[in-house]
Amino acid sequence: MYGSIVLKVAFGLVGLLLFTRLLGKKSMSDITPFDLIYTLVLGGLLEETIYDEKIKLSHFFLALTVWGVMIYIIESLVQKNSTINKWIKGQPCMLVQDGQLNIKGLNSNHVEMEQLRTMMRQQNCFSLKEAKYVILETGGTISVMRNEEEDAVLTILLIDEGVISEKALLSIHQTKDWLLDILKEEGQSQVTEIAYAEWSREHGLYWKTYAESVKEPYKIDG
């Protein structure tokens, strides 16, 4: 029994090393959802077979071999065929283009406004007003190009996809009426038409409507 466990662990380690080589030299941020699935399945195979005496070493070796061959075939196809690459591993998506939101891109990638703002802050970009381009990479991270003329400021999201945040208003000691009055003064009476609105001490209120969002985003090849 002990000898079988040792051999299974050894084969599992070799399999993980081969898997790493198949994926190439990537950082964790470059790993795609499919790469993660490869790893999880391989880890599951190893976990289920180590202490199960009913699963022979030959069975584990067969499963490991089949899985490795499948990964190799898929990775080869991905490298040689751009269409398969985009279908399996996805492609980058422009979420902000020339300072305008790509609402369709946000929705298709299930990215909420506050989630986008959180990822942008991790890239030292604290306001959508500062962003010229924001690209969602295949690994789930974002790349940000800021407007050079804009300084970094901390903003509060007051309107998220047509909905006013009462908590956000409370945090800056303001009311819903105050917000609506500002919008009316600027000729914007319909809150539901606003994709987002943010406020900062330095710049006051800044917003974009759905009508101002990107209609035809740039296509990005991965």
Side-chain angles (χ1 to χ4, degrees), residues 148-182:
E148 295 182 359
E149 66 274 11
E150 295 294 340
D151 296 325
V153 296
L154 182 63
T155 63
I156 305 296
L157 185 65
L158 300 183
I159 299 178
D160 184 358
E161 297 184 7
V163 178
I164 296 176
S165 173
E166 300 283 357
K167 291 183 179 180
L169 284 170
L170 186 62
S171 69
I172 61 173
H173 309 291
Q174 296 294 350
T175 64
K176 184 176 179 180
D177 290 336
W178 166 83
L179 177 59
L180 293 175
D181 287 341
I182 293 178

Tab-separated table of all heavy atoms in Angstrom, residues 148-182:
chain	number	residue	atom	x	y	z
A	148	GLU	N	-3.350	61.559	-19.424
A	148	GLU	CA	-2.167	62.188	-18.837
A	148	GLU	C	-2.506	63.462	-18.074
A	148	GLU	O	-1.853	63.805	-17.095
A	148	GLU	CB	-1.147	62.491	-19.932
A	148	GLU	CG	-0.583	61.238	-20.601
A	148	GLU	CD	0.451	61.583	-21.645
A	148	GLU	OE1	0.699	62.793	-21.854
A	148	GLU	OE2	1.008	60.648	-22.248
A	149	GLU	N	-3.544	64.152	-18.518
A	149	GLU	CA	-3.855	65.435	-17.890
A	149	GLU	C	-4.643	65.281	-16.595
A	149	GLU	O	-4.849	66.249	-15.859
A	149	GLU	CB	-4.649	66.330	-18.856
A	149	GLU	CG	-6.049	65.832	-19.204
A	149	GLU	CD	-6.046	64.864	-20.368
A	149	GLU	OE1	-4.937	64.432	-20.758
A	149	GLU	OE2	-7.134	64.555	-20.887
A	150	GLU	N	-5.110	64.077	-16.298
A	150	GLU	CA	-5.927	63.869	-15.107
A	150	GLU	C	-5.068	63.388	-13.936
A	150	GLU	O	-4.277	62.462	-14.064
A	150	GLU	CB	-7.027	62.835	-15.383
A	150	GLU	CG	-8.057	63.277	-16.403
A	150	GLU	CD	-8.886	64.450	-15.922
A	150	GLU	OE1	-8.945	64.696	-14.695
A	150	GLU	OE2	-9.479	65.127	-16.783
A	151	ASP	N	-5.219	64.037	-12.781
A	151	ASP	CA	-4.527	63.617	-11.571
A	151	ASP	C	-5.362	62.569	-10.842
A	151	ASP	O	-6.595	62.542	-10.945
A	151	ASP	CB	-4.299	64.815	-10.637
A	151	ASP	CG	-3.387	65.849	-11.277
A	151	ASP	OD1	-2.474	65.442	-12.011
A	151	ASP	OD2	-3.618	67.056	-11.038
A	152	ALA	N	-4.684	61.715	-10.090
A	152	ALA	CA	-5.374	60.662	-9.349
A	152	ALA	C	-6.189	61.264	-8.206
A	152	ALA	O	-5.663	62.003	-7.381
A	152	ALA	CB	-4.368	59.657	-8.805
A	153	VAL	N	-7.480	60.968	-8.181
A	153	VAL	CA	-8.359	61.428	-7.102
A	153	VAL	C	-9.249	60.278	-6.664
A	153	VAL	O	-9.554	59.375	-7.445
A	153	VAL	CB	-9.246	62.620	-7.547
A	153	VAL	CG1	-8.398	63.837	-7.871
A	153	VAL	CG2	-10.112	62.224	-8.729
A	154	LEU	N	-9.661	60.331	-5.411
A	154	LEU	CA	-10.552	59.307	-4.885
A	154	LEU	C	-11.999	59.708	-5.145
A	154	LEU	O	-12.408	60.823	-4.808
A	154	LEU	CB	-10.327	59.119	-3.386
A	154	LEU	CG	-11.174	58.035	-2.707
A	154	LEU	CD1	-10.838	56.668	-3.301
A	154	LEU	CD2	-10.941	58.027	-1.211
A	155	THR	N	-12.777	58.817	-5.764
A	155	THR	CA	-14.162	59.131	-6.112
A	155	THR	C	-15.140	58.190	-5.420
A	155	THR	O	-14.779	57.087	-4.995
A	155	THR	CB	-14.387	59.030	-7.637
A	155	THR	OG1	-14.157	57.683	-8.058
A	155	THR	CG2	-13.449	59.965	-8.381
A	156	ILE	N	-16.377	58.659	-5.335
A	156	ILE	CA	-17.467	57.871	-4.753
A	156	ILE	C	-18.505	57.639	-5.843
A	156	ILE	O	-18.942	58.578	-6.513
A	156	ILE	CB	-18.138	58.604	-3.575
A	156	ILE	CG1	-17.100	58.999	-2.527
A	156	ILE	CG2	-19.227	57.735	-2.959
A	156	ILE	CD1	-16.408	57.829	-1.871
A	157	LEU	N	-18.910	56.380	-6.036
A	157	LEU	CA	-19.906	56.042	-7.056
A	157	LEU	C	-21.304	56.341	-6.517
A	157	LEU	O	-21.785	55.674	-5.600
A	157	LEU	CB	-19.783	54.564	-7.442
A	157	LEU	CG	-20.677	54.089	-8.591
A	157	LEU	CD1	-20.286	54.783	-9.892
A	157	LEU	CD2	-20.571	52.571	-8.759
A	158	LEU	N	-21.962	57.349	-7.103
A	158	LEU	CA	-23.283	57.759	-6.642
A	158	LEU	C	-24.413	57.126	-7.442
A	158	LEU	O	-25.486	56.852	-6.895
A	158	LEU	CB	-23.412	59.285	-6.691
A	158	LEU	CG	-22.419	60.086	-5.835
A	158	LEU	CD1	-22.726	61.573	-5.947
A	158	LEU	CD2	-22.466	59.623	-4.382
A	159	ILE	N	-24.191	56.921	-8.744
A	159	ILE	CA	-25.202	56.294	-9.589
A	159	ILE	C	-24.557	55.122	-10.319
A	159	ILE	O	-23.562	55.291	-11.026
A	159	ILE	CB	-25.799	57.283	-10.610
A	159	ILE	CG1	-26.469	58.444	-9.898
A	159	ILE	CG2	-26.817	56.563	-11.517
A	159	ILE	CD1	-27.031	59.494	-10.846
A	160	ASP	N	-25.131	53.963	-10.138
A	160	ASP	CA	-24.605	52.746	-10.758
A	160	ASP	C	-25.678	52.159	-11.658
A	160	ASP	O	-26.675	51.624	-11.187
A	160	ASP	CB	-24.209	51.736	-9.674
A	160	ASP	CG	-23.574	50.487	-10.250
A	160	ASP	OD1	-23.481	50.377	-11.486
A	160	ASP	OD2	-23.182	49.609	-9.470
A	161	GLU	N	-25.485	52.317	-12.974
A	161	GLU	CA	-26.420	51.790	-13.971
A	161	GLU	C	-27.845	52.256	-13.714
A	161	GLU	O	-28.779	51.467	-13.646
A	161	GLU	CB	-26.343	50.264	-14.026
A	161	GLU	CG	-24.964	49.757	-14.460
A	161	GLU	CD	-24.912	48.255	-14.607
A	161	GLU	OE1	-25.974	47.607	-14.504
A	161	GLU	OE2	-23.818	47.730	-14.829
A	162	GLY	N	-27.998	53.557	-13.552
A	162	GLY	CA	-29.326	54.146	-13.412
A	162	GLY	C	-29.926	54.090	-12.028
A	162	GLY	O	-31.066	54.514	-11.831
A	163	VAL	N	-29.172	53.600	-11.040
A	163	VAL	CA	-29.695	53.470	-9.671
A	163	VAL	C	-28.851	54.323	-8.726
A	163	VAL	O	-27.623	54.201	-8.686
A	163	VAL	CB	-29.667	52.002	-9.199
A	163	VAL	CG1	-30.179	51.896	-7.756
A	163	VAL	CG2	-30.503	51.136	-10.132
A	164	ILE	N	-29.513	55.187	-7.956
A	164	ILE	CA	-28.816	56.051	-7.001
A	164	ILE	C	-28.472	55.263	-5.747
A	164	ILE	O	-29.301	54.526	-5.206
A	164	ILE	CB	-29.687	57.262	-6.638
A	164	ILE	CG1	-29.930	58.132	-7.869
A	164	ILE	CG2	-29.043	58.083	-5.523
A	164	ILE	CD1	-30.866	59.307	-7.612
A	165	SER	N	-27.245	55.433	-5.261
A	165	SER	CA	-26.806	54.758	-4.042
A	165	SER	C	-27.013	55.693	-2.852
A	165	SER	O	-26.304	56.684	-2.690
A	165	SER	CB	-25.327	54.365	-4.152
A	165	SER	OG	-24.863	53.868	-2.911
A	166	GLU	N	-27.986	55.346	-2.016
A	166	GLU	CA	-28.275	56.165	-0.835
A	166	GLU	C	-27.106	56.130	0.155
A	166	GLU	O	-26.778	57.140	0.783
A	166	GLU	CB	-29.550	55.650	-0.155
A	166	GLU	CG	-30.799	55.683	-1.030
A	166	GLU	CD	-31.376	57.088	-1.151
A	166	GLU	OE1	-30.828	58.010	-0.517
A	166	GLU	OE2	-32.374	57.264	-1.881
A	167	LYS	N	-26.455	54.965	0.271
A	167	LYS	CA	-25.321	54.833	1.198
A	167	LYS	C	-24.158	55.707	0.760
A	167	LYS	O	-23.464	56.305	1.597
A	167	LYS	CB	-24.882	53.373	1.292
A	167	LYS	CG	-25.874	52.464	1.991
A	167	LYS	CD	-25.325	51.045	2.111
A	167	LYS	CE	-26.309	50.145	2.839
A	167	LYS	NZ	-25.785	48.745	2.963
A	168	ALA	N	-23.928	55.750	-0.554
A	168	ALA	CA	-22.838	56.584	-1.065
A	168	ALA	C	-23.114	58.060	-0.778
A	168	ALA	O	-22.208	58.809	-0.397
A	168	ALA	CB	-22.654	56.352	-2.557
A	169	LEU	N	-24.347	58.483	-0.978
A	169	LEU	CA	-24.719	59.872	-0.680
A	169	LEU	C	-24.542	60.180	0.804
A	169	LEU	O	-24.066	61.253	1.175
A	169	LEU	CB	-26.167	60.121	-1.091
A	169	LEU	CG	-26.438	60.278	-2.587
A	169	LEU	CD1	-27.934	60.263	-2.868
A	169	LEU	CD2	-25.816	61.574	-3.111
A	170	LEU	N	-24.913	59.220	1.642
A	170	LEU	CA	-24.770	59.401	3.087
A	170	LEU	C	-23.306	59.554	3.477
A	170	LEU	O	-22.964	60.333	4.379
A	170	LEU	CB	-25.388	58.212	3.819
A	170	LEU	CG	-25.456	58.305	5.347
A	170	LEU	CD1	-26.342	59.480	5.764
A	170	LEU	CD2	-25.983	57.000	5.939
A	171	SER	N	-22.423	58.827	2.768
A	171	SER	CA	-20.996	58.871	3.102
A	171	SER	C	-20.376	60.238	2.819
A	171	SER	O	-19.355	60.593	3.401
A	171	SER	CB	-20.236	57.791	2.329
A	171	SER	OG	-20.188	58.093	0.943
A	172	ILE	N	-20.993	61.011	1.906
A	172	ILE	CA	-20.475	62.356	1.605
A	172	ILE	C	-21.404	63.429	2.189
A	172	ILE	O	-21.300	64.609	1.832
A	172	ILE	CB	-20.306	62.574	0.086
A	172	ILE	CG1	-21.637	62.451	-0.644
A	172	ILE	CG2	-19.288	61.597	-0.483
A	172	ILE	CD1	-21.552	62.827	-2.128
A	173	HIS	N	-22.324	62.976	3.066
A	173	HIS	CA	-23.227	63.884	3.791
A	173	HIS	C	-24.105	64.700	2.842
A	173	HIS	O	-24.290	65.912	3.024
A	173	HIS	CB	-22.414	64.819	4.692
A	173	HIS	CG	-21.441	64.121	5.578
A	173	HIS	ND1	-21.844	63.329	6.637
A	173	HIS	CD2	-20.077	64.070	5.543
A	173	HIS	CE1	-20.764	62.826	7.237
A	173	HIS	NE2	-19.684	63.241	6.584
A	174	GLN	N	-24.633	64.022	1.826
A	174	GLN	CA	-25.521	64.677	0.880
A	174	GLN	C	-26.804	63.857	0.731
A	174	GLN	O	-26.901	62.737	1.221
A	174	GLN	CB	-24.850	64.859	-0.477
A	174	GLN	CG	-23.646	65.779	-0.480
A	174	GLN	CD	-24.003	67.230	-0.164
A	174	GLN	OE1	-25.193	67.596	-0.124
A	174	GLN	NE2	-22.991	68.052	0.064
A	175	THR	N	-27.792	64.450	0.043
A	175	THR	CA	-29.090	63.794	-0.117
A	175	THR	C	-29.386	63.515	-1.592
A	175	THR	O	-28.706	64.035	-2.482
A	175	THR	CB	-30.214	64.683	0.448
A	175	THR	OG1	-30.282	65.899	-0.322
A	175	THR	CG2	-29.953	65.014	1.906
A	176	LYS	N	-30.419	62.736	-1.797
A	176	LYS	CA	-30.849	62.426	-3.154
A	176	LYS	C	-31.303	63.680	-3.886
A	176	LYS	O	-31.036	63.844	-5.090
A	176	LYS	CB	-31.988	61.392	-3.099
A	176	LYS	CG	-32.465	60.904	-4.446
A	176	LYS	CD	-33.517	59.822	-4.280
A	176	LYS	CE	-34.020	59.335	-5.638
A	176	LYS	NZ	-35.066	58.276	-5.467
A	177	ASP	N	-31.983	64.574	-3.174
A	177	ASP	CA	-32.448	65.821	-3.788
A	177	ASP	C	-31.275	66.672	-4.256
A	177	ASP	O	-31.338	67.316	-5.313
A	177	ASP	CB	-33.306	66.614	-2.788
A	177	ASP	CG	-34.645	65.933	-2.534
A	177	ASP	OD1	-35.090	65.166	-3.417
A	177	ASP	OD2	-35.228	66.158	-1.460
A	178	TRP	N	-30.214	66.684	-3.472
A	178	TRP	CA	-29.004	67.441	-3.849
A	178	TRP	C	-28.456	66.925	-5.181
A	178	TRP	O	-28.105	67.693	-6.070
A	178	TRP	CB	-27.964	67.293	-2.749
A	178	TRP	CG	-26.582	67.726	-3.140
A	178	TRP	CD1	-26.090	68.999	-3.131
A	178	TRP	CD2	-25.513	66.886	-3.595
A	178	TRP	NE1	-24.785	69.015	-3.553
A	178	TRP	CE2	-24.392	67.728	-3.844
A	178	TRP	CE3	-25.377	65.526	-3.804
A	178	TRP	CZ2	-23.174	67.235	-4.296
A	178	TRP	CZ3	-24.173	65.021	-4.250
A	178	TRP	CH2	-23.082	65.865	-4.495
A	179	LEU	N	-28.403	65.619	-5.318
A	179	LEU	CA	-27.893	65.000	-6.538
A	179	LEU	C	-28.795	65.301	-7.730
A	179	LEU	O	-28.328	65.671	-8.813
A	179	LEU	CB	-27.756	63.490	-6.338
A	179	LEU	CG	-27.306	62.673	-7.555
A	179	LEU	CD1	-25.939	63.140	-8.052
A	179	LEU	CD2	-27.268	61.178	-7.208
A	180	LEU	N	-30.093	65.168	-7.518
A	180	LEU	CA	-31.044	65.411	-8.603
A	180	LEU	C	-31.015	66.870	-9.059
A	180	LEU	O	-31.151	67.162	-10.252
A	180	LEU	CB	-32.456	65.018	-8.157
A	180	LEU	CG	-32.691	63.518	-7.910
A	180	LEU	CD1	-34.092	63.281	-7.365
A	180	LEU	CD2	-32.488	62.728	-9.204
A	181	ASP	N	-30.835	67.776	-8.107
A	181	ASP	CA	-30.772	69.199	-8.450
A	181	ASP	C	-29.569	69.492	-9.340
A	181	ASP	O	-29.662	70.268	-10.307
A	181	ASP	CB	-30.694	70.045	-7.176
A	181	ASP	CG	-32.025	70.080	-6.436
A	181	ASP	OD1	-33.056	69.770	-7.069
A	181	ASP	OD2	-32.019	70.404	-5.230
A	182	ILE	N	-28.430	68.889	-9.009
A	182	ILE	CA	-27.225	69.103	-9.826
A	182	ILE	C	-27.444	68.583	-11.242
A	182	ILE	O	-27.082	69.233	-12.230
A	182	ILE	CB	-26.008	68.402	-9.181
A	182	ILE	CG1	-25.650	69.067	-7.864
A	182	ILE	CG2	-24.807	68.435	-10.131
A	182	ILE	CD1	-24.492	68.418	-7.150
